[in-house]
Amino acid sequence: MAGGGLAPTFSFGRGDRAVEAETLVRPVVEGAGLELVDVGFGRDAGRRVLRVVVDRDGGVDLETIAELSERISRRLDLEGFEPGPYSLEVSSPGIERPLKRPKDFGRAVGESVRLRVRGPAGSTIHEGELVSADDEAIVIASSGGEQRVRYDDVASARTIVDWDAELKGSSR
């Protein structure tokens, strides 16, 4: 499986400003018939950025992102969200998407995933097919067999794509 990809160059957290932004943004996103996946507020290349990630079954097109960005911007301005300059970035999670909630894992059943799992001896990386997801844990199948991992033990997770196979398949 291809692992690849560069680590993000930004630093975002779930601080008070992100929580406040989520409170303001959620009704706008849900009112547009979309799901709010994540909100983060932090710095990227020295500038302050509010990142809003949205999704829906079938994905989100650019026109929807542009319209939603305008609505979110108006709401944040009306509420006086953040004094001083910052950038608003609204996007979809992308093809290699982060998995955070049981709902996210449930949608990704059958896909290839990469997990960083916390353990007594530190963290380990696991890659394989996500076989199942319930309210408490997931099951991932790899060359070593199936492993059940509790959500509390997952430090980070995302879907992964075998880009070599994808590129070969698209050249037909």
Side-chain angles (χ1 to χ4, degrees):
M1 276 179 216
L6 297 174
T9 59
F10 52 85
S11 170
F12 284 88
R14 290 294 300 162
D16 292 343
R17 299 309 281 167
V19 172
E20 180 185 350
E22 181 175 341
T23 301
L24 296 172
V25 165
R26 181 174 297 284
V28 177
V29 171
E30 291 174 352
L34 300 166
E35 175 189 352
L36 182 60
V37 174
D38 197 18
V39 176
F41 190 67
R43 293 201 171 274
D44 183 2
R47 64 189 178 105
R48 296 181 325 152
V49 180
L50 174 62
R51 288 208 169 103
V52 177
V53 182
V54 299
D55 203 6
R56 71 172 162 214
D57 289 339
V60 183
D61 61 26
L62 189 56
E63 184 177 327
T64 301
I65 294 286
E67 290 172 8
L68 185 62
S69 182
E70 286 296 320
R71 289 181 188 172
I72 290 172
S73 180
R74 281 195 303 270
R75 174 72 193 266
L76 294 172
D77 288 347
L78 282 171
E79 298 292 336
F81 166 65
E82 181 68 21
Y86 70 93
S87 298
L88 171 64
E89 294 180 1
V90 180
S91 66
S92 72
I95 192 165
E96 288 191 339
R97 60 187 57 207
L99 304 171
K100 296 183 178 192
R101 302 165 296 181
K103 182 176 176 178
D104 300 334
F105 285 92
R107 282 189 183 152
V109 168
E111 295 186 45
S112 294
V113 295
R114 171 179 286 152
L115 309 173
R116 187 166 57 87
V117 179
R118 291 183 211 96
S123 64
T124 56
I125 303 294
H126 301 275
E127 285 188 15
E129 180 183 341
L130 183 58
V131 176
S132 67
D134 59 31
D135 290 339
E136 297 172 11
I138 61 168
V139 175
I140 182 172
S142 63
S143 57
E146 288 189 358
Q147 180 179 6
R148 183 171 169 85
V149 179
R150 294 177 329 118
Y151 292 119
D152 290 345
D153 296 332
V154 176
S156 64
R158 66 180 172 93
T159 59
I160 57 174
V161 175
D162 181 345
W163 289 108
D164 291 336
E166 287 292 318
L167 293 173
K168 286 178 186 173
S170 68
S171 65
R172 288 186 214 155

